Amino acid sequence: MPDTDISPILVTGAAGFIGHAVSRRLGERGESVIGIDNLNDYYDPALKAARLANLNALDGFRFAEMDISDADGVKTLVADSGVQRIIHLAAQAGVRYSIDNPFAYQKSNLQGHLSLLEASRHAENFRHLVYASSSSVYGDKPMGGVGFTEDEPVNDPISLYAATKRSCELMSQSYAKLYGFPQTGLRFFTVYGPWGRPDMAYFGFTRKLLAGEPIEVYGEGRMARDFTYIDDIVDGILGALDRPPAPHSNRILNIGDSRPVGLMEMIRTLEESLGIEAQKIMRPMQPGDVTATFADVSKLHALTGYEPKVMLEDGLQRFVRWYRDFYGNLPPA
């Protein structure tokens, strides 16, 4: 059951894809939410502004424009607002972007995560920090017909993004041991859906198909991803939030669909949803990419009853309807 009380929940990255969806669901179930975001221009700021407009229309939502690397600002906000639970989703995303912009990841992912840890440990009666990790920590692991499990070694990251996410898990482990407050790290697997990120493949393919442009298919189409619909992701996040681990624990959980889909199958499904056949340019795999992802979600299921419900065909149809409503049949500027 929802663990509602009078203390607000802090959501970092509230104008982002997952942060927007989580904040809306929290508002719908009667929680007070403080959202923070630095509203950077990594992708279309107009999309972030539209998400934020949705949230500002909710009762009980308050927004503070803030960079999570501002440790003093985050600590003061948490203390002054009486925050006892945090859902930390803000980070510099993108495997490929980390190749050319490494210091953005140092600031947002490492320094930013440390800011939230410090704010949590100093907060009065603090109860639970839930934070975003990533399936990228598993490295380029052969899929082998079974899902990736949380107990596997994760010592071979192939991108700086993955390395920062694993570093955040280790930082949280040390803070849980030192200071006792419960933490849950969620390893996300390829989240998609309405209000999504324009740098994701399905989003970029949609823009190009509607513009009559060819699409570049990396890994020559041989990659597979555990595409997970946004509503299912939110179910898992809030299920974990409402069930904190014991004190001094840093619990790690996979959160995915557990039904990996090949890249070419995803493209065919998207073509059917749009009614457009793509002109495909096959490219080799890019540095930092992994061949496949596949989540074993048995631990999250046992804890919360988590059961992904939205199949890729339905999820992409919902995304296409949203896209056409938001942008029309033209690509965003």
Side-chain angles (χ1 to χ4, degrees):
M1 294 295 293
D3 185 18
T4 57
D5 61 20
I6 60 172
S7 64
I9 298 174
L10 179 67
V11 177
T12 73
F17 176 29
I18 302 175
H20 166 251
V22 166
S23 298
R24 288 181 68 174
R25 185 80 67 83
L26 287 170
E28 289 167 359
R29 77 178 200 177
E31 302 273 13
S32 295
V33 177
I34 300 172
I36 64 174
D37 201 295
N38 68 357
L39 302 175
N40 67 29
D41 61 357
Y42 169 64
Y43 62 78
D44 184 13
L47 178 56
K48 296 181 181 182
R51 295 188 190 123
L52 189 56
N54 286 338
L55 299 180
N56 283 328
L58 297 174
D59 291 336
F61 179 82
R62 176 162 66 92
F63 179 69
E65 186 171 347
M66 180 181 296
D67 195 306
I68 56 169
S69 66
D70 176 6
D72 289 339
V74 172
K75 179 181 174 182
T76 298
L77 177 65
V78 168
D80 291 351
S81 303
V83 166
Q84 297 175 1
R85 291 170 291 164
I86 295 173
I87 303 176
H88 174 36
L89 301 168
Q92 179 57 61
V95 168
R96 295 170 186 168
Y97 190 75
S98 69
I99 303 295
D100 297 322
N101 300 276
F103 288 101
Y105 294 76
Q106 177 269 329
K107 181 179 180 183
S108 292
N109 298 11
L110 299 179
Q111 188 174 334
H113 191 71
L114 185 58
S115 293
L116 270 298
L117 290 172
E118 279 291 298
S120 299
R121 84 169 177 99
H122 287 288
E124 188 174 355
N125 300 316
F126 191 77
R127 293 155 59 189
H128 196 189
L129 170 64
V130 177
Y131 64 92
S133 187
S134 168
S135 63
S136 67
V137 302
Y138 290 107
D140 196 9
K141 176 184 179 297
M143 193 160 62
V146 296
F148 305 171
T149 67
E150 297 91 340
D151 298 327
E152 296 177 27
V154 283
N155 301 318
D156 192 21
I158 65 169
S159 70
L160 178 64
Y161 172 72
T164 63
K165 285 299 187 179
R166 179 59 181 145
S167 297
C168 290
E169 293 180 352
L170 294 172
M171 291 161 67
S172 281
Q173 180 72 12
S174 68
Y175 267 68
K177 294 294 185 184
L178 284 169
Y179 305 114
F181 61 92
Q183 299 181 59
T184 299
L186 297 173
R187 291 176 176 168
F188 291 108
F189 283 71
T190 313
V191 188
Y192 77 100
W195 297 100
R197 279 177 25 213
D199 62 322
M200 298 292 287
Y202 73 95
F203 201 120
F205 289 166
T206 298
R207 183 189 64 78
K208 289 188 174 184
L209 286 171
L210 289 172
E213 300 174 4
I215 63 172
E216 294 183 311
V217 182
Y218 289 97
E220 297 177 337
R222 291 193 292 268
M223 295 189 292
R225 292 290 182 269
D226 199 353
F227 293 99
T228 314
Y229 190 70
I230 182 62
D231 290 0
D232 291 329
I233 285 286
V234 176
D235 288 344
I237 293 171
L238 298 193
L241 174 73
D242 295 337
R243 297 164 179 84
H248 297 280
S249 298
N250 175 49
R251 176 177 61 194
I252 301 294
L253 298 169
N254 287 337
I255 179 168
D257 188 74
S258 204
R259 291 171 292 206
V261 174
L263 179 56
M264 296 305 295
E265 182 180 347
M266 184 275 280
I267 292 171
R268 284 193 296 272
T269 304
L270 183 60
E271 289 173 323
E272 292 170 0
S273 298
L274 288 164
I276 301 171
E277 184 175 353
Q279 178 187 347
K280 305 171 188 70
I281 301 172
M282 309 308 281
R283 302 289 193 199
M285 189 175 293
Q286 290 196 317
D289 275 351
V290 298
T291 306
T293 62
F294 183 1
D296 180 325
V297 295
S298 55
K299 286 189 176 182
L300 184 59
H301 173 77
L303 177 70
T304 69
Y306 174 77
E307 194 81 44
K309 302 177 183 67
V310 181
M311 301 293 287
L312 183 66
E313 180 179 3
D314 186 19
L316 284 178
Q317 288 174 351
R318 295 183 195 185
F319 168 74
V320 167
R321 286 196 296 270
W322 168 82
Y323 188 100
R324 284 181 155 143
D325 180 62
F326 189 79
Y327 291 115
N329 283 323
L330 297 174

